[in-house]
Amino acid sequence: MVCYDVLVVGGGVVGSAVARELATSGKSVVLCEKEDDLLAQATSGNTGHLASNFYYRRPRALLEAEMAERARRVNQEWLNSQPAVPCIKRGMIYLAKGKEEECQMRELLYLGQLNKEEGLRIVSLAEVAEMEPFLCLNGVTAALFSANEAVVDPWLLAMTHVYGMEVAGVKIHTGCEVIGVKREGEVWMVTTRKGIIKALCVVNCGGNFGDEVEKLRGKESSFKVQPGKGEYVVFATNCAGTISRPVVPVPTKKTAGLYVFETVYGHTVVGPTNVRQSSKTDRLVSALSQRTLLDHIHSLYPSMRSAVPLGLYAGLRPATQHQDYCIDIDLARGWVTVGGIRSTGLTCSLAISQYIAEAMVPNYHPATLPTMPVPQVEGDMVRIGSKLYRPTHPLCRLGLLGADLPQQFVKTAKM
């Protein structure tokens, strides 16, 4: 039986990135994903915002801030090397209403300056009106512009890691849930739905199920996943041009706010909410959230009142009781935990993969991602290189395939 250097549990964007980086750096790697498709869980329901996270600082969350800082250094090269990934880079506008939010906005600007982030500036409401002529500024008292923000196809950008895995020779098993682990000497015997796999090191990138993977080794998990549901309402492309760049209220300690943005395929979207729940599978958008999202976009863009939503979708972020990432690297035991990667998973995936590889690979040098070929649509699948993949993100399925959204919009009497 082959014994791999590394077995990665979880084929989301972070697990795929880690597997790719380690394999490109010379490790023999096998990846086990319990779903039939890669990128099918937390990665399949995000915003598609490659963020600067300019206001993240170490006192808030040490590891997440460190990964955000690294992401600001490496992500532009990542994007530039992947011309097959649709991308809109027009910046983002943060809106403040009243003195309290203005103070919070100035604090964000100060944190961004401490992080030496370029492209941040206070903008006048007159300039905001020129940038976003359909935006209603009633009650808005100040605004901040961040230039280094990008909207991408979230599935295709994540697929650059998957394509990189294929090129690097990662052995990929889908429909291969890990159900048991046992340490024998210096080797992990990992029991899956497809049999036993041997590896010297296990990297747990189980996302919403990461705490359950931790318990398989007979040790209580240091974190408990309580997913944060992010819900969205999506409109047709006949609204294209209403929103030029993402607009969002000034973020608070509780939420990054409700975005209004246009996808790379021209669909207008509002979201996400942040609803904590115990279920790791419930992705239904509630009627209350629908109302909240519609009220928000209508208040900012009154012309959207006449637009009927195409549908709804939601994603589940692997939030925990901790504010920071839950990353633990125990090379002596051959076990690496990569947990609690919430809404920054896509943005920080490359940075996290490099962080893990630095700890595991002697004389490590960051790998270069191969340029992903232009995707070719074939029915309900997409060919990338020599292989067919099923798009898992609703915005990509809608934009590339013309597929329906997961949940249809139903207008209620109160709406």
Side-chain angles (χ1 to χ4, degrees), residues 185-201:
E186 296 184 352
V187 176
W188 286 102
M189 306 296 289
V190 180
T191 303
T192 76
R193 296 291 183 191
K194 292 186 173 181
I196 295 175
I197 302 174
K198 295 169 63 176
L200 297 177
C201 181

Side-chain angles (χ1 to χ4, degrees), residues 327-341:
I327 296 180
D328 181 65
I329 301 173
D330 185 352
L331 297 183
R333 289 284 294 167
W335 190 278
V336 177
T337 302
V338 185
I341 313 299

Side-chain angles (χ1 to χ4, degrees), residues 160-399:
T160 63
H161 290 307
V162 174
Y163 179 71
M165 278 201 297
E166 301 280 10
V167 171
V170 175
K171 182 67 175 179
I172 301 170
H173 294 293
T174 55
C176 186
E177 182 180 5
V178 172
I179 56 177
V181 297
K182 182 180 179 182
R183 184 81 164 167
E184 293 188 359
E186 296 184 352
V187 176
W188 286 102
M189 306 296 289
V190 180
T191 303
T192 76
R193 296 291 183 191
K194 292 186 173 181
I196 295 175
I197 302 174
K198 295 169 63 176
L200 297 177
C201 181
V202 173
V203 181
N204 174 12
C205 297
N208 283 312
F209 301 89
D211 53 346
E212 298 175 29
V213 175
E214 287 292 291
K215 293 177 183 177
L216 292 177
R217 58 174 175 153
K219 180 180 179 181
E220 191 63 29
S221 175
S222 62
F223 60 93
K224 178 178 176 57
V225 175
Q226 185 181 7
K229 181 191 289 184
E231 301 156 296
Y232 302 81
V233 175
V234 184
F235 297 83
T237 55
N238 58 10
C239 303
T242 302
I243 294 107
S244 299
R245 56 189 53 76
V247 174
V248 65
V250 169
T252 67
K253 292 181 179 180
K254 292 184 178 181
T255 176
L258 297 176
Y259 291 58
V260 178
F261 65 98
E262 189 174 292
T263 74
V264 294
Y265 300 107
H267 299 96
T268 300
V269 183
V270 56
T273 58
N274 184 21
V275 180
R276 296 297 287 272
Q277 62 182 40
S278 58
S279 172
K280 297 181 178 183
T281 57
D282 176 12
R283 296 174 73 152
L284 287 177
V285 179
S286 71
L288 176 61
S289 292
Q290 290 182 49
R291 180 70 270 166
T292 299
L293 292 167
L294 289 175
D295 285 347
H296 181 70
I297 193 170
H298 293 163
S299 69
L300 291 177
Y301 291 91
S303 63
M304 293 295 296
R305 291 182 181 275
S306 61
V308 178
L310 275 180
L312 321 163
Y313 78 94
L316 301 181
R317 314 177 190 108
T320 73
Q321 72 271 35
H322 305 294
Q323 191 172 26
D324 203 356
Y325 289 169
C326 301
I327 296 180
D328 181 65
I329 301 173
D330 185 352
L331 297 183
R333 289 284 294 167
W335 190 278
V336 177
T337 302
V338 185
I341 313 299
R342 301 176 297 275
S343 58
T344 52
L346 179 65
T347 293
C348 292
S349 58
L350 178 57
I352 292 169
S353 74
Q354 294 179 352
Y355 178 79
I356 299 300
E358 277 180 346
M360 296 182 63
V361 178
N363 303 314
Y364 167 74
H365 296 285
T368 300
L369 273 78
T371 300
M372 186 176 73
V374 174
Q376 304 294 327
V377 175
E378 297 186 15
D380 65 347
M381 305 287 280
V382 173
R383 183 175 297 279
I384 297 177
S386 62
K387 295 195 174 183
L388 284 171
Y389 300 91
R390 190 185 317 279
T392 55
H393 197 291
L395 294 180
C396 181
R397 290 181 56 78
L398 176 65

